[in-house]
Amino acid sequence: MKKAITILGFICAIIAVIISVTPLYNLAFAPIIIAFLSGLFLIYLSKNEPSKPKTIQYIFLLVIISLSLTIYKGVVNTAEVGDTEQLEQRDEENLEDSKEILEDLEIDEDF
């Protein structure tokens, strides 16, 4: 049981670090939470059975690194809004095109 939790914690912590570096950093919170909970569970198990604390420390270190990277990217990265005039022109053109398409359709009302 303890080995399975340790492996799960390491895998989730490593995945969290990898995801927190990518542009999909918002998805890193799920493996961060799983790795953190497995680290807490390992602490609870280590009180009953004495073992080496290095594995737990490594899991928490990776969790802290990934969490800090995710928070940093969330604060620093801002979404830039483009030129709204071009977007409005595109919307108007799309609306006109769709009106033309609808006018060209022939609907048979033979019921």
Side-chain angles (χ1 to χ4, degrees):
M1 176 80 170
K2 190 172 183 178
K3 284 188 178 185
I5 299 295
T6 305
I7 291 171
L8 177 70
F10 268 123
I11 290 173
C12 287
I14 291 170
I15 289 173
V17 170
I18 292 170
I19 293 176
S20 65
V21 175
T22 64
L24 300 173
Y25 60 92
N26 288 335
L27 300 176
F29 286 113
I32 288 172
I33 292 171
I34 294 170
F36 182 74
L37 291 177
S38 66
L40 289 178
F41 191 68
L42 285 171
I43 289 175
Y44 174 75
L45 288 178
S46 69
K47 288 185 179 183
N48 297 337
E49 303 170 12
S51 64
K52 296 180 182 178
K54 288 289 184 187
T55 57
I56 300 169
Q57 291 174 355
Y58 290 140
I59 291 173
F60 281 123
L61 179 68
L62 290 172
V63 166
I64 290 169
I65 290 170
S66 61
L67 189 61
S68 62
L69 284 172
T70 304
I71 291 172
Y72 173 76
K73 286 182 99 173
V75 170
V76 172
N77 287 350
T78 57
E80 295 181 17
V81 178
D83 189 15
T84 56
E85 291 179 13
Q86 291 177 353
L87 294 174
E88 290 174 1
Q89 285 178 343
R90 287 184 195 164
D91 287 340
E92 289 176 8
E93 290 173 1
N94 288 339
L95 182 64
E96 291 173 6
D97 290 341
S98 60
K99 284 182 181 178
E100 290 175 5
I101 291 172
L102 287 175
E103 288 175 357
D104 292 341
L105 288 177
E106 295 180 12
I107 300 174
D108 293 333
E109 296 183 13
D110 297 333
F111 285 102

